[in-house]
Amino acid sequence: MNKLIVGNWKMNGGMASNEVLLGSIVDGLFSVSHAQLAVCVPAPYLAQVQTRLQGSALAWGSQDVSAHEQGAFTGEVSAHMLKDFACRYAIVGHSERRQYHGETDEVVATKAQRALASGITPIVCVGETLAEREAGQTEAVVKRQLAAVIHAVGHCTSELVVAYEPVWAIGTGLTATPEQAQQVHAVLRAQLMAASQKANRVHILYGGSMNAANAASLLAQADIDGGLIGGASLKPADFLSIAQSAKA
Ligand code: 13P
C-alpha cells in the first residue's frame, strides 16, 4: 500500500502564498514514488485549490465538515458543499476542534458519517493528551474515540483514514518515538480489523511534529501508513522530503 501524506494547513495561507506553495508542491511531485499526497486547506480557498490542482496528482480536502446536512447553522460548511469543490478528504475530530470547539466523540462520528454519505473520505483524528498518557490511559482514550466512529459508520469502516495525533506532540516539536507511535497504531489496526475484514487497507497516519528529519523512521513502522503534517506542510521542500522518505 502506498503511503498517504496529508498536509493540514490549519488557519494559514492567503491567495498569493497558496499559489506559490501549491505550485512548488506540484512541481516536485515527480520526485515522490511511494506516496500519495493531499492538502487540507481552509474552506475559503477550496475554489482556488480546485482550480489549481485539477488534473494534478495532488489531492485536496477540508479541515472540518458540519455534522448537519443543511439549514440554519450559521458559519457551518456541509459535506455537500465540500463535494461541490471536489474534496477527496475531510479531516474530522482534530484535537484542536475537540479542544477549542468542544467536539465530542459523538459529534466527530456524525461528521465522519456526513463526509462518507457525500463520497468524501473522513480523516478521523484520535490522540491522547499528556495527562492521559502519563495516567496510562493512551490506549483507552484512542480506542474510545475510534469506537464512536466505527459504531456510527458500520460497514464503511474500511473507507476511513485514521490519524493518530498525540496531543502533546502537535506543534510542540515533541514527536512520539517510532516505537511509541507503532504501539498505538497496532492497537488501532486491531480495532479496525475487528470491525471490518477489509480494514487492512485503511491508512493509519501519524501526526505530531512530523518533519523531514524524523519521517523516515516513523514511516518505516509496520502500521504507520503515512503522515498528517501541520507546520512542515507549509514548507514545500520539507513536505516533499517527508513524502520522499516513504519507501515501498
Ligand atoms: P504539527 O505537524 O505542526 O505538529 O501538526 C500536526 C497536526 O496537528 C496535523 O494535523
Side-chain angles (χ1 to χ4, degrees):
M1 160 160 91
N2 256 356
K3 305 283 184 194
L4 175 61
I5 306 293
V6 180
N8 173 9
W9 289 6
K10 308 193 178 183
M11 200 171 72
N12 294 290
M15 289 299 268
S17 63
N18 297 347
E19 208 58 35
V20 176
L21 176 53
L22 294 168
S24 305
I25 298 171
V26 169
D27 286 349
L29 287 178
F30 75 93
S31 65
V32 176
S33 323
H34 300 293
Q36 301 159 239
L37 277 77
V39 287
C40 290
V41 307
Y45 298 128
L46 284 170
Q48 178 191 20
V49 168
Q50 181 185 23
T51 304
R52 183 64 185 77
L53 297 184
Q54 235 156 16
S56 81
L58 181 58
W60 62 92
S62 66
Q63 299 171 8
D64 186 25
V65 60
S66 178
H68 305 284
E69 195 172 354
Q70 62 161 32
F73 300 102
T74 301
E76 294 275 274
V77 177
S78 72
H80 181 74
M81 294 168 187
L82 298 176
K83 195 64 188 170
D84 273 345
F85 295 96
C87 284
R88 170 116 172 242
Y89 299 103
I91 296 173
V92 300
H94 192 281
S95 63
E96 287 151 15
R97 299 223 45 100
R98 293 180 191 260
Q99 191 178 347
Y100 306 135
H101 301 272
E103 292 192 8
T104 62
D105 294 340
E106 288 66 37
V107 166
V108 173
T110 306
K111 290 183 171 201
Q113 263 179 323
R114 289 278 175 227
L116 284 169
S118 288
I120 296 169
T121 300
I123 299 177
V124 178
C125 299
V126 300
E128 82 287 5
T129 62
L130 186 57
E132 288 164 341
R133 173 163 283 266
E134 287 175 345
Q137 294 167 348
T138 298
E139 271 194 33
V141 168
V142 298
K143 284 170 87 169
R144 188 202 73 223
Q145 291 172 333
L146 184 56
V149 176
I150 290 174
H151 178 73
V153 307
H155 68 273
C156 293
T157 295
S158 62
E159 309 300 319
L160 301 172
V161 170
V162 174
Y164 170 54
E165 298 206 312
V167 177
W168 48 272
I170 295 176
T172 57
L174 294 172
T175 321
T177 64
E179 294 72 26
Q180 280 174 325
Q182 165 59 27
Q183 203 174 16
V184 177
H185 281 233
V187 167
L188 297 171
R189 177 82 65 203
Q191 190 180 2
L192 290 163
M193 292 298 293
S196 162
Q197 290 170 342
K198 291 185 282 182
N200 55 338
R201 72 172 195 220
V202 172
H203 282 89
I204 307 179
L205 315 181
Y206 169 78
S209 298
M210 197 164 175
N211 59 37
N214 61 28
S217 55
L218 286 160
L219 294 174
Q221 300 298 312
D223 293 297
I224 301 187
D225 308 312
L228 185 54
I229 322 295
S233 74
L234 301 171
K235 301 175 199 151
D238 291 25
F239 189 53
L240 287 163
S241 165
I242 291 168
Q244 287 158 2
S245 55
K247 299 288 177 259

